[in-house]
Amino acid sequence: MDQDILYWVWLGSLSNITLRKKYKLLQTFGSPYDIWHASKNELLKNQSVSPEMAAILSDRNIKELTKRKLEDLYVRKIKILPLKNSNYPACLKEIYDPPIVLYVMGELLDDELCLAVVGSRNATEYGRNMAEKISYELAINGFTITSGMARGIDSSAHIGALRANGRTIAVLGCGLDMVYPHENKELMEIISKNGAVISEYVTGTNPLPANFPARNRIISGLSIGVTVIEANERSGSLITANIALEQGRDVFAVPGNADSNNSLGTNRLIKEGARLVTGVDDILEELKFSQPGILESKENLKEISQSKVLRGLTGEERIIAEKLTDGKIQIDALADKCNLSMQLINSTLVIMELKGIVEQLPGKIFGLKI
Amino acid sequence: MLSKIKSCGLIGIDGYILEVETDISNGMPVFEIVGLADIAVKESKERVRSAIKNSGLEFPVRRITINLSPANIKKEGSSFDLPIALGILTATEQIVNGALDKYMFIGELSLDGEIKPVHGILPMAIAALKEGMEYLVLPAANADEAAVVKGLRILPVKNITEVILHLNGEKQLDEYTIDINELFKNKTEYEIDFADVKGQDNVKRALEVAASGAHNCIMIGSPGSGKSMVAKRLPTILPAMSFEEALEVTKIHSIAGMLPSNTSLVTTRPFRSPHHTISDVSLVGGGKYPKPGEISLAHYGVLFLDELPEFSKEALEVLRQPLEDGMVNISRVNASLSYPAKTMLLCAANPCKCGNFLDPSKQCTCTPKQVQQYLGRLSGPLLDRIDIHIEVASVKYKDLESTKDEEKSSEIRERVNRARKIQLERYKGLRIYSNSQLQPSMMNKYCRLDEDCRQLLKNAFEKLGLSARAHNRILKVSRTIADIEQSEDIKQRHIAEAIQYRSLDRKFWAG
Ligand SMILES: Nc1ncnc2c1ncn2[C@@H]1O[C@H](COP(=O)(O)OP(=O)(O)O)[C@@H](O)[C@H]1O
Ligand SMILES: [Mg+2]
Ligand SMILES: [Zn+2]
């Protein structure tokens, strides 16, 4: 298998050959190993292989470089998931143009349900708040949040999920040795520990503009639905939305002011039939219809995620956080539900407030911090 | 002929012995009272003259001069009627008794010779005992009040004739006694109890902390949320009054004329709830004829200011110093007097002008700005005397119907007592009795924090937007919470809970 990986990395990184052609080759030859070892003649026998392509495929330098690349990947502890690997995300495999190889920092889980939250880089505060809030609540409900780790909405989406101690996946348009944008270095590290940072690009690949539309198909491909928060008329998020529709995913859009540039795209999506959402309940309700069965497993998921939300809390904090996931509540009612003494409730809530887990509203009403 | 009769006057809440000197000489029939007597005292001439005549005795048609000695203290009220009358009767030898030195006489006369009750009997009785008097002759209706003072023979009288018969040895008056222990035991119970209040555990806990450290509090809640109901019950969880405290409270109530007749002692802690239209003088005391104000009537008890934002700025301003000192000082022409005012201040306020801001079942019609302004008005000196802020939520109907057993006042009071005892012990010799009285200079010693606690507090100030004035109040309240737990050290959880009681310092209220 280790040997096999080399051939997959090699095939995946051949940037001058289109994905279509790579699938065709795989179909014809069976595996990257066979393609690697095919002679130029054998290759050319094939109708779909042009002479240029055959030259690339039999280029020894490239093959040597790939061997070194592989060492680099090992050193960086980057996991490599070939398309045929049983751990390759099932829903991504289904799409029309799945990546040949996925590079992973962190961990992808077999049973996770992902929802994408994406939007404009030049987001408004409203947009960032909504992204964080919706991601937070989706994470509480057991979903993994996928996004592109770009500035603005994407970053807020990841942060929302992390706040909930939930899982999140960032899909990059460059190699995993690059940090783009640079200010997200720390975020990237945290995401890799609470989910995964993934890419179809081998290390050393720069964040070329052309990579981003391709990256977007992975974001939606991993997810059962895509929520767009703030997008102007030409935003890449609209492309993601279109791809998502082609992939048969649900598309949700958060409305904005009619005269806000940042919301022209999302408002148009709504006009064109995307589900208008103002909170997670809208998303959950839609999924119930469009993807029956998923919500049945949701209760189960919720439990799993709650146990994740509750990770790292002390006993009382956990009890309180558990009760607060049902919504905001006045302190006496909370004490009743938790069956804790008033003094313990009082002091624990302040400590949770200081940890940023809980917020207090007038009237001694407490809620989980969004 | 000259006679001297002992009576008693009042300065502040203390009695002082006073001699009624009567001189009757030949000359024009004038009746004069000297010795800084006020109008009410001067009017006593008419009452004394009629009372003597109407009792079948002789009123001398000669020159009568009465001196109230010491002459440099202002005399007020009608309690000298009886000693003045007796002075005249002795000077005219209608009373023959060589042992009047042992007697003190107090009482107002009506025109027919009946003796009517007066205010301030308890402090007078205490003074009588202190000055070595043996007998106190006083209005029958005041007997219960005076009988509390042990070691003094109380002789209640209904009319002037009874007094004369007694002094002339013709018919002895009966001595009046009561069993104080019995009285004290039976009467320290309240008719209301915290167990009447359904739910509201947060409010109850906050008030328990307040009671334990004698911290002033404010409650914020919509109308009907039960603020008045819990306020009235605060005295029931304060430590039971000691006999000395009861005496002092009774003295004040006696002077103010607030003691119901046939009452010997105020045995339960007072709860005073003045309306917001009250005048400054009625609130803190003073006036032409000085009287204790509400804050002194609430001495050793609770002063409840309902609808705090409705009180005038001036009224709240005059409260400040007395709250700080536990005492009201009133300066007079010739003397200054003081009334004790060690009270726990409990305030209540609606959260906004319309009152509905915290009531989820009703619509608040105020703008956010108005909401901020309403309580914002409170900021300032008085709020600086308040350690604990309590938000009171309206209790749901189903909770009101609940039959769950609520904790009794007596159970809460037990914990309060324990915490207070720790404080008394700790502050021995410092002339403070509770954590609420801690001065900034004492904080370092008694509210020492370890590094974790300091960090927590710092964090809280940064993250929660608390105002700086909260700092020492949080420390004092943490000290109390630790004392309730019988913990020598202040721990993080104590500080965290204390922070919970600073709602009005939060940004969302203070703006
Ligand atoms: N927690 C409670 N338990 C029992 N009765 C309550 C409670 N809260 C309110 N009530 C009832 O409602 C009435 C109104 O409460 P009140 O103390 O006058 O409210 P506020 O002073 O806040 O306007 C009380 O007299 C009492 O009968
Ligand atoms: Mg009321
Ligand atoms: Zn209002």
Side-chain angles (χ1 to χ4, degrees):
Chain A
M1 185 66 194
D2 255 2
Q3 276 303 306
D4 245 15
I5 291 269
L6 171 67
Y7 311 119
W8 280 104
V9 169
W10 167 72
L11 184 63
S13 62
L14 297 171
S15 52
N16 291 327
I17 301 176
T18 64
L19 268 176
R20 298 268 78 212
K21 297 234 159 87
K22 290 180 185 172
Y23 298 144
K24 190 89 191 169
L25 285 168
L26 282 171
Q27 213 175 27
T28 316
F29 290 88
S31 77
Y33 173 91
D34 296 308
I35 305 170
W36 172 296
H37 290 99
S39 68
K40 210 172 210 169
N41 278 344
E42 278 171 315
L43 288 164
L44 281 171
K45 250 188 259 163
N46 220 291
Q47 221 181 31
S48 59
V49 179
S50 62
E52 296 81 31
M53 217 172 113
I56 295 170
L57 288 170
S58 37
D59 188 322
R60 280 176 190 281
N61 281 338
I62 296 181
K63 289 179 176 171
E64 274 313 303
L65 270 176
T66 307
K67 284 180 186 162
R68 261 178 269 151
K69 224 11 145 229
L70 192 61
E71 275 164 32
D72 180 52
L73 285 165
Y74 284 140
V75 169
R76 290 178 187 278
K77 301 208 166 72
I78 292 171
K79 290 178 199 143
I80 304 159
L81 274 185
L83 183 56
K84 291 277 152 27
N85 190 293
S86 60
N87 291 326
Y88 193 95
C91 51
L92 188 59
K93 203 178 281 180
E94 275 168 17
I95 68 171
Y96 162 81
D97 46 2
I100 300 288
V101 179
L102 273 185
Y103 298 100
V104 180
M105 270 189 336
E107 216 177 340
L108 294 175
L109 304 181
D110 287 346
D111 58 348
E112 70 190 323
L113 273 185
C114 301
L115 277 169
V117 175
V118 297
S120 171
R121 279 161 226 255
N122 298 317
T124 64
E125 188 175 343
Y126 160 74
R128 289 195 303 270
N129 286 342
M130 286 305 288
E132 206 172 310
K133 180 175 146 95
I134 286 179
S135 305
Y136 178 94
E137 291 178 3
L138 287 173
I140 294 255
N141 277 283
F143 291 98
T144 299
I145 303 301
T146 51
S147 195
M149 213 181 81
R151 294 190 181 105
I153 300 297
D154 285 13
S155 296
S156 298
H158 292 299
I159 289 169
L162 292 168
R163 275 255 165 90
N165 269 319
R167 283 180 49 83
T168 185
I169 297 172
V171 185
L172 305 191
C174 54
L176 293 182
D177 55 336
M178 310 262 170
V179 180
Y180 183 81
H182 192 75
E183 69 257 25
N184 278 348
K185 186 160 190 286
E186 198 185 346
L187 181 62
M188 183 167 161
E189 236 166 70
I190 299 172
I191 294 173
S192 67
K193 286 180 187 132
N194 293 278
V197 181
I198 67 173
S199 173
E200 71 176 312
Y201 302 106
V202 73
T203 46
T205 312
N206 283 314
L208 304 173
N211 294 354
F212 287 91
R215 180 275 308 258
N216 292 347
R217 86 184 194 286
I218 305 179
I219 295 178
S220 55
L222 278 171
S223 313
I224 60 172
V226 174
T227 304
V228 184
I229 300 171
E230 287 202 330
N232 62 30
E233 289 275 35
R234 288 168 296 108
S235 170
S237 314
L238 294 186
I239 303 175
T240 314
N242 277 329
I243 299 172
L245 286 174
E246 280 169 23
Q247 293 172 343
R249 310 301 196 234
D250 283 313
V251 173
F252 308 97
V254 173
N257 286 344
D259 61 356
S260 162
N261 245 335
N262 269 307
S263 295
L264 285 178
T266 39
N267 288 349
R268 201 183 75 208
L269 279 177
I270 292 167
K271 273 189 270 181
E272 287 170 358
R275 168 85 193 226
L276 182 153
V277 300
T278 54
V280 288
D281 289 343
D282 296 328
I283 297 175
L284 299 181
E285 192 177 312
E286 181 71 23
L287 291 175
K288 215 182 301 183
F289 287 105
S290 64
Q291 320 217 14
I294 278 188
L295 285 226
E296 268 102 85
S297 59
K298 195 204 116 215
E299 272 316 303
N300 185 18
L301 274 170
K302 189 167 174 179
E303 272 165 36
I304 296 168
S305 94
Q306 279 189 359
S307 68
K308 279 177 198 149
V309 171
L310 306 177
R311 245 185 344 220
L313 300 185
T314 67
E316 296 88 39
E317 289 174 4
R318 183 168 314 182
I319 294 172
I320 291 173
E322 236 162 44
K323 304 298 175 197
L324 287 180
T325 51
D326 297 339
K328 297 191 169 67
I329 184 169
Q330 196 267 343
I331 192 165
D332 290 308
L334 180 62
D336 265 356
K337 274 191 164 186
C338 297
N339 205 9
L340 294 173
S341 75
M342 210 64 221
Q343 54 264 46
L344 203 52
I345 286 274
N346 263 320
S347 55
T348 311
L349 279 170
V350 164
I351 287 168
M352 292 174 81
E353 218 181 331
L354 293 179
K355 283 186 179 174
I357 308 167
V358 154
E359 71 177 337
Q360 179 173 174
L361 304 171
K364 282 275 174 265
I365 291 171
F366 291 84
L368 283 176
K369 180 101 173 258
I370 299 163
Chain B
M1 178 88 209
L2 183 74
S3 74
K4 289 186 181 180
I5 300 287
K6 297 242 168 58
S7 187
C8 198
L10 291 170
I11 301 178
I13 62 159
D14 293 312
Y16 66 92
I17 201 128
L18 175 148
E19 229 165 12
V20 178
E21 301 170 350
T22 308
D23 179 58
I24 299 185
S25 56
N26 292 325
M28 288 282 286
V30 277
F31 184 1
E32 200 171 26
I33 300 179
V34 297
L36 279 186
D38 79 346
I39 293 181
V41 179
K42 296 219 156 126
E43 281 176 349
S44 120
K45 285 186 286 196
E46 306 313 318
R47 291 191 296 272
V48 168
R49 192 195 316 266
S50 303
I52 289 181
K53 284 185 176 162
N54 291 332
S55 303
L57 298 157
E58 186 207 325
F59 191 86
V61 192
R62 289 196 278 168
R63 182 187 175 84
I64 306 170
T65 308
I66 309 278
N67 179 37
L68 303 178
S69 155
N72 62 344
I73 301 176
K74 204 166 167 193
K75 322 293 184 311
E76 284 149 4
S78 55
S79 62
F80 309 121
D81 289 3
L82 178 62
I84 290 173
L86 297 177
I88 294 170
L89 294 172
T90 309
T92 53
E93 292 175 342
Q94 298 178 73
I95 292 173
V96 195
N97 188 316
L100 284 182
D101 263 8
K102 298 274 168 221
Y103 282 87
M104 176 183 279
F105 299 93
I106 298 163
E108 176 185 319
L109 291 175
S110 64
L111 300 183
D112 58 1
E114 295 291 306
I115 295 174
K116 301 204 297 190
V118 298
H119 298 161
I121 283 290
L122 179 62
M124 295 182 191
I126 292 170
L129 180 68
K130 227 164 60 190
E131 296 292 335
M133 298 288 110
E134 194 175 341
Y135 298 101
L136 176 59
V137 178
L138 82 182
N142 290 129
D144 279 305
E145 192 181 330
V148 172
V149 181
K150 289 284 143 190
L152 196 64
R153 299 186 159 183
I154 304 299
L155 304 177
V157 287
K158 288 204 198 60
N159 53 55
I160 202 164
T161 311
E162 283 183 2
V163 184
I164 291 159
L165 291 176
H166 172 84
L167 292 177
N168 286 341
E170 290 166 37
K171 185 166 188 286
Q172 289 297 312
L173 287 169
D174 290 331
E175 194 181 325
Y176 186 80
T177 56
I178 53 172
D179 184 340
I180 301 174
N181 290 336
E182 199 51 37
L183 174 97
F184 208 62
K185 235 183 356 220
N186 292 338
K187 289 236 178 116
T188 43
E189 284 311 314
Y190 295 82
E191 281 156 14
I192 49 178
D193 198 288
F194 256 102
D196 308 335
V197 181
K198 301 282 182 198
Q200 298 289 21
D201 291 349
N202 184 47
V203 179
K204 289 176 185 170
R205 166 70 184 175
L207 286 177
E208 175 179 337
V209 173
S212 297
H215 299 284
N216 297 333
C217 328
I218 181 166
M219 297 185 287
I220 298 143
S222 303
S225 56
K227 300 184 297 295
S228 301
M229 185 183 192
V230 297
K232 283 191 200 113
R233 285 159 177 78
L234 178 57
T236 68
I237 58 168
L238 293 174
M241 276 213 288
S242 68
F243 179 66
E244 286 70 29
E245 285 175 333
L247 266 187
E248 207 166 308
V249 171
T250 309
K251 267 159 84 173
I252 299 169
H253 284 241
S254 165
I255 287 162
M258 302 292 299
L259 204 62
S261 58
N262 301 322
T263 305
S264 10
L265 267 187
V266 178
T267 51
T268 54
R269 294 196 180 268
F271 177 82
R272 303 296 302 178
S273 175
H275 191 257
H276 57 72
T277 53
I278 191 174
S279 70
D280 303 359
V281 166
S282 317
L283 194 54
V284 293
K288 185 150 184 262
Y289 304 107
K291 264 195 173 181
E294 288 291 335
I295 188 172
S296 296
L297 291 170
H299 183 52
Y300 289 141
V302 174
L303 178 66
F304 179 48
L305 302 184
D306 206 352
E307 314 262 10
L308 185 67
E310 306 294 328
F311 280 78
S312 75
K313 268 212 150 56
E314 294 70 37
L316 301 183
E317 181 57 32
V318 295
L319 273 180
R320 205 161 58 91
Q321 203 55 42
L323 281 175
E324 192 75 4
D325 303 342
M327 177 174 292
V328 179
N329 289 306
I330 296 166
S331 49
R332 311 294 299 163
V333 183
N334 288 312
S336 76
L337 53 91
S338 62
Y339 296 120
K342 293 204 183 81
T343 184
M344 225 180 114
L345 178 67
L346 178 59
C347 304
N350 287 337
C352 63
K353 189 112 190 101
C354 83
N356 294 335
F357 182 58
L358 293 182
D359 193 338
S361 66
K362 298 198 191 97
Q363 186 70 41
C364 168
T365 56
C366 309
T367 65
K369 185 144 193 217
Q370 285 172 321
V371 171
Q372 274 192 0
Q373 279 171 347
Y374 189 70
L375 290 180
R377 271 219 319 259
L378 287 181
S379 62
L382 189 71
L383 212 52
D384 275 346
R385 302 275 171 298
I386 296 179
D387 293 347
I388 292 183
H389 307 159
I390 309 170
E391 288 171 66
V392 187
S394 306
V395 170
K396 291 205 199 70
Y397 178 72
K398 78 169 179 9
D399 293 333
L400 286 179
E401 296 287 283
S402 136
T403 52
K404 192 185 119 198
D405 269 349
E406 302 288 346
E407 197 173 28
K408 289 214 174 58
S409 290
S410 54
E411 297 169 61
I412 304 173
R413 188 166 61 206
E414 233 164 78
R415 294 192 295 269
V416 171
N417 273 332
R418 211 172 51 199
R420 286 274 186 121
K421 223 178 248 150
I422 294 172
Q423 296 166 57
L424 277 177
E425 195 65 29
R426 181 186 313 126
Y427 302 133
K428 237 183 207 158
L430 283 177
R431 307 184 54 198
I432 67 168
Y433 311 97
S434 64
N435 295 327
S436 64
Q437 296 173 298
L438 277 171
Q439 299 300 309
S441 58
M442 307 172 175
M443 298 271 198
N444 263 345
K445 178 154 182 212
Y446 298 109
C447 304
R448 189 184 295 280
L449 300 185
D450 66 15
E451 188 49 39
D452 285 349
C453 289
R454 253 201 299 276
Q455 205 52 48
L456 174 78
L457 198 53
K458 183 158 165 273
N459 207 350
F461 270 88
E462 280 165 10
K463 291 221 174 119
L464 305 180
L466 300 179
S467 62
R469 66 167 176 232
H471 187 268
N472 281 1
R473 322 229 141 243
I474 290 173
L475 284 186
K476 290 183 196 183
V477 175
S478 326
R479 181 65 265 167
T480 301
I481 294 168
D483 287 341
I484 295 175
E485 224 183 70
Q486 297 177 285
S487 160
E488 185 131 348
D489 301 321
I490 297 178
K491 306 251 170 67
Q492 282 192 323
R493 60 175 178 277
H494 305 140
I495 293 194
E497 188 182 348
I499 290 169
Q500 202 68 272
Y501 302 135
R502 295 303 298 175
S503 305
L504 288 177
D505 289 323
R506 296 287 188 110
K507 286 240 168 68
F508 53 68
W509 283 112

